[in-house]
Amino acid sequence: MSLVTLRVALARAEEGGYAVGAFNVSSLDQAIAVLDAAEVERSPVIVQSIAGMSAYADEERWWKRLRRIIDDYPSVPAVLHLDHGRTYEDCARAVDCGFSSVMIDASREADGDLPASFDDNVALTRRVVEMARPHGVSVEGELGTIGGAEAGIAGIAENIVFADPEQAALFVSRTGVDALAVAVGTSHGSVKFTDESGGQRLRIGLIAEIKERLPDTALVLHGSSSIPAEAVAVINAHGGDVRPSYGVSPEQKSEAIAHGIRKINQGTDSHLAWTAAMRRFLGENPAVVEPSALLAPAVDAFREMVATRMREFGSAGRA
Ligand code: 13P
């Protein structure tokens, strides 16, 4: 069986000094693209889906299908992870659907985007750990608030509340989480930093400080897309209107890995690749309506982007 927990996948990454990519998918075609990339690259992988974000109306059927697809890839060590569970119930449903890992994002209040108090974050995260652990399911928590726009995650890079190293140590000891997402300067979504130097706001020193206090906890970098300018240009040349911006460069991600990041969350880069390929195809083939013809380039582009990131994160060849 290829399904593994986040704890196991990230412990291996710690030993090997690399990071495992956690790729957001919102359709079965995208999950297949991610798993195909992992198979070809002989890489461990984290397939993740954000609560409330898929192409399908019935979320639990979608989650169960995702779980079944992983069995088609016996050679791939794959974690099935719930990204940004906002409530205890989100996480419990994902556990019921066979996920091997869940994130409870209790860093913000569930009914808004204001930062939650440290004690409230600890209390909800601890409850999710107590629910998940007997099922052998790993838990990721979040400290500080990561900005950006994704599935109702409001704010912009300027609104980041950075993680505090002392609090991080306290948070892990009080909650027992297997992995910790730390706010160190990145933000979610396709609009990140508006000038090239914005990427420099990634606080590598802060990652190192947190790692020093938490040598046995896997640290997670959210909002890690690089926002390739070519993909944005193709989208905009074919009827799109994506605001150009700057993301986190591959070099900065390598530096983050060298200082202790073991899970790198990435959705936007592959979504841009998918959208660019689909828009280009439709623009160049205005008479084609056959779905396989327009899906194929999108799946190929998604898979290639994921494969590139696996090589950059050092996970290729580790399965
Ligand atoms: P990006 O939007 O930078 O790809 O980040 C995705 C993410 O962190 C999901 O949790």
Side-chain angles (χ1 to χ4, degrees):
M1 187 162 97
S2 60
L3 188 73
V4 295
T5 63
L6 190 66
R7 176 175 273 280
V8 165
L10 299 189
R12 288 178 191 159
E14 179 68 35
E15 259 174 50
Y18 60 91
V20 186
F23 301 100
N24 289 96
V25 298
S26 46
S27 78
L28 290 170
D29 296 305
Q30 294 179 351
I32 289 167
V34 170
L35 288 158
D36 280 354
E39 193 172 58
V40 170
E41 295 297 326
R42 293 185 299 109
S43 174
V45 71
I46 300 160
V47 177
Q48 64 181 16
S49 180
I50 296 181
M53 211 174 185
S54 80
Y56 313 105
D58 186 331
E59 185 158 72
E60 280 161 38
R61 281 185 103 176
W62 146 243
W63 286 354
K64 286 178 186 164
R65 285 177 181 148
L66 262 183
R67 169 65 195 85
R68 286 197 294 273
I69 278 191
I70 286 179
D71 290 338
D72 288 345
Y73 295 84
S75 67
V76 176
V79 178
L80 181 56
H81 177 78
L82 177 73
D83 192 23
H84 290 287
R86 291 301 302 270
T87 62
Y88 175 92
E89 290 73 25
D90 283 342
C91 297
R93 283 189 303 123
V95 170
D96 283 347
C97 291
F99 280 45
S100 61
S101 178
V102 294
M103 175 189 190
I104 176 68
D105 177 1
S107 64
R108 286 162 300 119
E109 292 174 348
D111 55 354
D113 282 300
L114 292 173
S117 76
F118 179 76
D119 288 343
D120 286 351
N121 189 353
V122 166
L124 178 51
T125 305
R126 175 81 223 160
R127 261 186 86 210
V128 170
V129 170
E130 281 165 1
M131 175 274 297
R133 188 135 297 157
H135 297 274
V137 172
S138 304
V139 178
E140 174 184 332
E142 176 171 320
L143 194 64
T145 58
I146 297 156
E150 191 169 296
I153 303 166
I156 50 171
E158 281 69 27
N159 292 348
I160 294 165
V161 177
F162 289 92
D164 174 79
E166 285 303 329
Q167 274 199 342
L170 202 58
F171 185 82
V172 170
S173 74
R174 289 200 183 158
T175 59
V177 287
D178 302 285
L180 182 65
V182 286
V184 290
T186 57
S187 62
H188 296 102
S190 66
V191 178
K192 296 192 189 296
F193 306 112
T194 47
D195 63 88
E196 200 161 6
S197 69
Q200 306 304 332
R201 284 177 221 155
L202 181 62
R203 295 200 180 170
I204 297 289
L206 184 53
I207 297 171
E209 270 184 67
I210 297 171
K211 187 69 191 166
E212 206 176 290
R213 285 179 175 76
L214 288 169
D216 301 323
T217 303
L219 301 182
V220 183
L221 190 66
H222 278 241
S224 311
S225 279
S226 303
I227 318 293
E230 318 81 70
V232 173
V234 170
I235 291 171
N236 290 345
H238 292 88
D241 187 16
V242 176
R243 194 170 122 204
S245 77
Y246 297 90
V248 184
S249 69
E251 294 71 31
Q252 288 177 314
K253 280 179 258 192
S254 298
E255 225 190 311
I257 294 168
H259 287 85
I261 290 291
R262 296 290 164 246
K263 172 175 183 266
I264 298 197
N265 276 30
Q266 201 184 277
T268 304
D269 280 352
S270 26
H271 299 159
L272 288 170
W274 170 281
T275 303
M278 206 177 260
R279 276 193 181 272
R280 189 204 295 267
F281 180 87
L282 288 171
E284 291 173 357
N285 301 275
V288 175
V289 294
E290 163 58 36
S292 66
L294 61 106
L295 264 178
V299 170
D300 285 353
F302 202 103
R303 189 190 57 246
E304 287 315 306
M305 172 52 69
V306 167
T308 301
R309 295 294 181 247
M310 286 169 167
R311 295 193 287 272
E312 289 169 358
F313 300 166
S315 69
R318 304 286 187 152

